[in-house]
Amino acid sequence: MFSTKRSKDNTQKENKTNHTSPFLLLTLSPEMQLFLLLLLAALPPPATSHYSSSTSSPSSSSSSVSSSASEWRPARATYYAATNPRDAVGGACGYGDLVKSGYGMATVGLSETLFERGQICGACFELRCVDDLRWCIPGTSIIVTATNFCAPNYGFDPDGGGHCNPPNKHFVLPIEAFEKIAIWKAGNMPVQYRRINCRREGSIRFTVDGGGIFISVLITNVAGSGDISAVKMKGSRTGWLPMGRNWGQNWHINADLKNQALSFEVTSSDRSTVTAYNVAPRNWDYGQTFEGKQFETL
C-alpha cells in the first residue's frame, strides 16, 4: 500500500524552501525590498494540472472513412446457414448471386439502424468477437461487405427475439464468416465493429439492364468507402445525366442511349469521384457487364 503521509519536519522544510517569508523583507533595505517584490512579480505562476474527458459521437457512414470512423464500436452478431450450399445467395442490396458478384461469403446483413435504407450497401466492416472467452476465437477478426438487410421483428422486444429492431446495431453473418471469429454454438454474440476502406481486385463493374428508354445499372466491386451516394451517366451524344437510386446499388434513368457509348461518373459516400469514359461500346446490350475505372485505396 502506498502512503501519502509526510513528516512534520519535511513539510516545514518545504514551506521554508518554497515561500519567501514576509519577516525576511522587513530586515532588508527599502531598495532591496522593492527589487525582490519586482522579481517575484515577474516569475511565472505555478504550474497546475488540468484533466478533461470528452466523448465523440459516432460518425455517419455517409462521411469519409476517417480515423474517427475506424474506432471500434459495440454491437451484436448472429449467423445464418443456407439450407442448400448450392443455392445462390442474394440480398437486399441487389447484388444477386454474391459468389458470382465476387463477394463470396465475406458478407453481412445489417439491422435497420445500420442499413440506412440501402445507402450503406457495399461498405466494408471489420468485426471481432469480444467479452466471451468461452466462445470467442482469440486474436481473430473478419472483413465483410454490407450486402443485405436484417428486417426488424416488432413482435419481439429488441432484447428478446427482435435482434434487428431499432436501436440495436446488429450484424447477420453467413455461418462461414461467423465461425472465423466465434464457435457456432455461441449464437447471439457481443462483437465490436469498425468501418474500414474496401480493397477490391479489378475495376468497378456496371451491369446494364432494363428495356426501351428505361436503363437500370447495378454497380459492384467498388473500392474505397465502398458505398455510393451519386451516379451520373452519359451517352456519346449527350451530356451528363443524373441517375436515381432504384434500390440498394441499382441505379436507373429514363433516356434513349442505344447505339451510344456509355460513360459513368460515380461518387462515393466520402465524396470521392471517379469518372470512367466509354465503359460500354456503341453496340452494348441489356444484360451485359462492363468494367470501368476504380477508386484508389491506400
Side-chain angles (χ1 to χ4, degrees):
M1 178 177 290
F2 295 99
S3 173
T4 57
K5 295 182 180 180
R6 293 185 297 180
S7 67
K8 182 177 180 181
D9 292 339
N10 287 341
T11 303
Q12 292 176 346
K13 185 176 181 180
E14 289 176 3
N15 289 336
K16 289 180 182 180
T17 303
N18 297 331
H19 301 281
T20 302
S21 171
F23 297 105
L24 176 62
L25 294 176
L26 295 178
T27 62
L28 301 174
S29 64
E31 293 81 6
M32 185 58 71
Q33 292 180 32
L34 179 60
F35 173 78
L36 287 176
L37 289 173
L38 291 174
L39 180 62
L40 289 173
L43 292 175
T48 57
S49 298
H50 298 276
Y51 298 92
S52 63
S53 62
S54 62
T55 57
S56 59
S57 59
S59 58
S60 170
S61 66
S62 60
S63 63
S64 62
V65 185
S66 60
S67 58
S68 61
S70 65
E71 294 176 356
W72 290 100
R73 305 180 191 283
R76 298 190 75 87
T78 50
Y79 64 86
Y80 69 90
T83 55
N84 187 339
R86 293 176 295 179
D87 290 344
V89 179
C93 291
Y95 293 132
D97 189 325
L98 297 177
V99 175
K100 291 182 179 179
S101 297
Y103 297 109
M105 292 292 104
T107 60
V108 67
L110 304 179
S111 62
E112 185 173 336
T113 301
L114 296 169
F115 191 65
E116 298 184 4
R117 298 185 177 182
Q119 182 172 324
I120 197 69
C121 290
C124 293
F125 296 88
E126 184 176 8
L127 274 69
R128 64 186 182 187
C129 183
V130 294
D131 298 337
D132 197 328
L133 299 179
R134 184 176 47 166
W135 304 119
C136 292
I137 300 175
T140 60
S141 68
I142 54 172
I143 296 174
V144 291
T145 301
T147 61
N148 210 344
F149 174 53
C150 179
N153 186 346
Y154 295 112
F156 295 91
D157 294 331
D159 295 333
H163 302 318
C164 293
N165 294 1
N168 289 353
K169 294 181 178 180
H170 197 90
F171 295 83
V172 182
L173 299 160
I175 190 170
E176 293 86 349
F178 186 90
E179 288 187 315
K180 293 183 182 299
I181 59 173
I183 299 172
W184 68 271
K185 290 183 179 180
N188 188 359
M189 282 293 302
V191 296
Q192 289 180 337
Y193 75 96
R194 62 180 178 181
R195 179 82 179 269
I196 64 171
N197 278 321
C198 301
R199 296 184 179 275
R200 304 294 185 202
E201 294 184 5
S203 303
I204 298 177
R205 301 188 188 110
F206 303 88
T207 301
V208 182
D209 211 334
I213 65 170
F214 177 78
I215 301 175
S216 174
V217 180
L218 170 63
I219 304 177
T220 58
N221 203 52
V222 181
S225 68
D227 52 345
I228 301 169
S229 61
V231 180
K232 292 180 181 180
M233 183 179 184
K234 73 181 293 295
S236 51
R237 299 193 300 271
T238 72
W240 287 105
L241 306 172
M243 304 187 75
R245 188 191 300 275
N246 196 318
W247 60 288
Q249 291 303 353
N250 283 276
W251 298 76
H252 72 275
I253 192 172
N254 289 320
D256 184 5
L257 299 178
K258 289 294 289 183
N259 299 315
Q260 298 183 55
L262 304 180
S263 302
F264 295 93
E265 180 184 279
V266 179
T267 301
S268 60
S269 65
D270 64 1
R271 299 176 183 172
S272 299
T273 297
V274 63
T275 304
Y277 291 97
N278 301 319
V279 169
R282 289 180 62 256
N283 61 344
W284 64 269
D285 202 357
Y286 298 111
Q288 293 180 320
T289 299
F290 307 95
E291 291 193 2
K293 193 176 179 182
Q294 180 62 277
F295 286 101
E296 295 181 2
T297 54
L298 300 177

